Amino acid sequence: MRHHSLPRPAVVHNGIIENYQELREELARAGCVFASDTDTEVLAHLIGLGLAGHGDLGRAVASALSRAEGSYAVAVVSLDNPGVVYGARKLSPLVLGVGQGENFLASDIPAFLPYTREVVFLEDGEMARIDAGSWQVFTVAGLAPVEKKPVRIAWDIQAAQKGGFKHFMLKEIFEQPRVIADCLAGRVDASRGLATLRELDDFPVPERLTIVACGTSYHSGLWGMQLLESWAKIPTRVEIASEFRYRDPILGPGDVALAISQSGETADTLAGMRLARERGAKVIGLCNVVGSTVSRDADRVIYTQAGPEISVASTKAMCSQLTLLLLLALHFGHKKGLAGEREAAVPLAGLQDLPALLEAALPGMRQRAKELARVYSEARSFLYLGRGLNYPLALEGALKLKEISYIHAEGYAAGEMKHGPIALVDPKFPTFALAPDDELYPKVKSNLQEVQARGGKIIALTNPGMDLRVDHVWEAPRAFGPLNTFLMLPALQLFAYEMADYLGKDVDQPRNLAKSVTVE
Ligand code: M6R
């Protein structure tokens, strides 16, 4: 800010001030000179004007925010009194960390996890004042004090460190056996064939379910839909939240929306939840971050308990979402009298064996991923193919590859190939196929023959003993039915990881991406 007569507040801002043009014109008329075109600078000038008038930063922040339309999480400090920081939020996350002789403001808990586990969750319309030794919360409108209690977060400091791994992503991939075990703890009685989700004890079985999510969480939803339909016989649809929020969906009192979100702060998912509620649906949140907006806005919340996911590319969060979606399908199936003890016993016993099976497989998988990454590192484009439960995995494999290695990749339902994408296949356009030993294997095999007939190279992720003749067979251990997913998913993640690492990309913080997408 370059207006010499005004004090100089510094502002950190996440979000979008929608009426910033209008405010900018007004400020320019008042003599403010702008150094950028950003909406954040408008906020800084607005606060500066207030501060120049009465000298009270808290009042200046509150009055500036009362004029700002849109979404924001802000932290504001003034050069006159740099030991005091004000923070406020609206439709964008902001948490306060209470330390010993130090306090923090951040949009996500992991940012201050190495220093404190005491967290105060701020609500829209609230404003915090912190200095090193104290903190208070007020309303933005009227600056009335608000009583708040810090919550102790179970995550520990190690969880926010790399623990000897080169990247958080790799660490988080290798945490998946523990994540599955944690999701199952206290929720499975394999001897009685029961999956118990206490969070939903007295929650009625939905007549119809609408899953709303983005990105990887959306892929989890597509996978979960198949089990919810076949095991619990609940008509289920899966919606990309940014599309759903602007449609005119038909929802009513018998409907339940299931919002899936690792962060619990994704703006589109939150808007989807609100729309579903307005239309009369109940909302269940499936999320990882305790105290997040999804968890607070939902009628019921199921925590995935995966621990903090730091890498922008989501890995262990998806594993935890899939585990809980499977339990959810068994839980509702059981409530409807569908999943009897015998039917549920097999997946439940298999689930309990999964952590050890995956733990043993991961080092070999990483080695194979590394070898293949070197072979395919020059590919400019990849096709991922799968059918049934492996179709969402094909989408996820492609998303992982593109987001961290910047190689174009497309996930496709293998049977759709012949309706267009097959025209792309040539020796320089490799295919990554998901071809486990399931009822759709013969179909996938014949889709792969079509690729080979056009000179396309293939990596096929399959199980031992299958009769595939492709360029590179990658064998994952066998598990029961849908549980194969839990062995295929880390292979996809590791392949993307090794490609990106080999190509020297910034694995944990890929360009143009944010961990929580808190704006639409
Ligand atoms: O926190 P959420 O699960 O709501 O986030 C949704 C997506 O932004 C997220 O999954 C994104 O696609 C990841 N970067 C994928 O790795």
Side-chain angles (χ1 to χ4, degrees):
M1 171 176 163
R2 285 212 220 112
H3 196 294
H4 299 302
S5 61
L6 296 182
R8 293 161 60 91
V11 177
V12 182
H13 167 224
N14 252 347
I16 300 169
I17 306 299
E18 283 163 3
N19 58 336
Y20 87 100
Q21 261 319 344
E22 188 186 313
L23 294 172
R24 188 187 162 103
E25 282 158 24
E26 183 186 316
L27 287 163
R29 282 196 297 274
C32 293
V33 179
F34 288 85
S36 74
D37 287 332
T38 62
D39 52 347
T40 305
E41 195 188 345
V42 169
L43 214 48
H45 282 283
L46 208 51
I47 295 168
L49 273 183
L51 201 50
H54 47 65
D56 180 333
L57 184 61
R59 271 174 64 199
V61 173
S63 96
L65 293 179
S66 67
R67 303 213 42 213
E69 288 165 18
S71 65
Y72 53 77
V74 289
V76 186
V77 66
S78 160
L79 281 182
D80 310 332
N81 191 6
V84 175
V85 185
Y86 283 89
R89 62 162 281 175
K90 185 179 162 200
L91 299 174
S92 201
L94 187 71
V95 280
L96 193 167
V98 181
Q100 300 285 333
E102 53 185 359
N103 292 306
F104 307 84
L105 285 170
S107 28
D108 215 352
I109 298 166
F112 52 63
L113 209 49
Y115 312 102
T116 183
R117 285 198 269 160
E118 302 289 326
V119 180
V120 175
F121 293 100
L122 298 170
E123 303 289 342
D124 284 354
E126 289 178 350
M127 188 170 102
R129 178 199 182 277
I130 60 167
D131 57 30
S134 69
W135 60 273
Q136 296 91 33
V137 178
F138 309 92
T139 53
V140 171
L143 293 176
V146 181
E147 185 109 0
K148 293 285 230 193
K149 279 219 168 71
V151 176
R152 191 165 177 76
I153 296 295
W155 299 347
D156 57 17
I157 297 161
Q158 282 76 27
Q161 292 168 345
K162 286 188 200 150
F165 286 89
K166 187 173 175 189
H167 295 103
F168 279 111
M169 181 180 180
L170 190 60
K171 174 183 176 232
E172 288 160 7
I173 293 171
F174 273 79
E175 279 175 356
Q176 291 176 113
R178 198 263 308 148
V179 164
I180 299 171
D182 285 357
C183 287
L184 299 179
R187 284 171 166 151
V188 168
D189 182 345
S191 60
R192 290 171 57 216
L194 271 184
T196 328
L197 290 174
R198 287 211 188 83
E199 301 88 333
L200 301 182
D201 259 355
D202 51 350
F203 194 87
V205 178
E207 282 165 31
R208 288 179 309 181
L209 196 62
T210 301
I211 297 179
V212 184
C214 305
T216 292
S217 299
Y218 168 71
H219 299 155
S220 293
L222 289 174
W223 186 90
M225 170 184 73
Q226 302 186 40
L227 296 189
L228 285 156
E229 290 197 336
S230 71
W231 289 0
K233 302 284 174 246
I234 300 173
T236 305
R237 62 179 169 174
V238 189
E239 301 274 355
I240 293 174
S242 55
E243 289 294 314
F244 178 74
R245 65 181 291 186
Y246 291 115
R247 287 223 326 270
D248 186 13
I250 299 165
L251 288 163
D255 279 289
V256 172
L258 173 66
I260 307 180
S261 174
Q262 185 286 130
S263 61
E265 300 293 351
T266 300
D268 288 321
T269 305
L270 289 168
M273 283 173 75
R274 271 179 228 123
L275 176 64
R277 189 193 304 286
E278 276 161 29
R279 301 274 161 124
K282 287 257 176 293
V283 179
I284 302 174
L286 179 61
C287 78
N288 194 35
V289 179
V290 175
S292 60
T293 312
V294 164
S295 75
R296 285 177 286 136
D297 282 6
D299 295 295
R300 291 299 160 89
V301 57
I302 305 171
Y303 283 118
T304 49
Q305 295 166 310
E309 191 179 63
I310 312 261
S311 165
V312 166
S314 184
T315 54
K316 64 174 179 172
M318 179 168 190
C319 174
S320 65
Q321 290 165 351
L322 300 180
T323 309
L324 280 154
L325 285 163
L326 193 148
L327 294 182
L328 193 63
L330 287 173
H331 170 91
F332 283 140
H334 181 78
K335 274 196 153 181
K336 285 174 87 170
L338 293 168
E341 284 179 30
R342 232 157 38 88
E343 290 85 345
V346 185
L348 287 178
L351 260 182
Q352 285 186 312
D353 292 340
L354 254 184
L357 187 63
L358 181 55
E359 180 102 52
L362 278 169
M365 273 187 192
R366 181 171 179 209
Q367 191 45 41
R368 187 73 176 129
K370 217 178 220 168
E371 288 159 16
L372 292 171
R374 271 136 190 79
V375 177
Y376 286 92
S377 63
E378 282 177 16
R380 307 289 313 131
S381 204
F382 250 94
L383 185 63
Y384 280 72
L385 294 181
R387 296 181 88 122
L389 287 170
N390 296 300
Y391 167 51
L393 286 192
L395 297 177
E396 177 62 10
L399 175 61
K400 285 285 94 80
L401 186 70
K402 63 190 148 196
E403 76 174 325
I404 59 169
S405 74
Y406 316 148
I407 295 171
H408 168 254
E410 237 183 296
Y412 236 82
E416 270 290 290
M417 273 281 288
K418 56 186 171 296
H419 300 288
I422 200 158
L424 292 167
V425 173
D426 69 19
K428 291 198 166 148
F429 185 38
T431 293
F432 193 123
L434 291 143
D437 181 11
D438 60 16
E439 64 283 7
L440 292 169
Y441 173 77
K443 302 279 174 203
V444 176
K445 188 178 164 193
S446 93
N447 296 140
L448 295 185
Q449 284 159 352
E450 289 157 18
V451 172
Q452 285 178 311
R454 278 128 190 117
K457 296 240 177 318
I458 297 175
I459 301 173
L461 188 55
T462 183
N463 297 123
M466 306 308 282
D467 57 345
L468 276 178
R469 304 225 183 294
V470 296
D471 303 276
H472 293 97
V473 169
W474 185 348
E475 289 176 349
R478 259 166 220 278
F480 163 79
L483 304 188
N484 274 305
T485 296
F486 294 88
L487 294 149
M488 306 260 125
L489 178 63
L492 295 168
Q493 297 164 342
L494 283 166
F495 180 67
Y497 171 80
E498 291 297 345
M499 286 285 265
D501 189 38
Y502 186 63
L503 295 170
K505 306 296 183 212
D506 185 349
V507 172
D508 283 334
Q509 291 205 302
R511 68 185 183 201
N512 308 340
L513 293 176
K515 181 66 186 158
S516 307
V517 185
T518 55
V519 289
E520 73 163 308

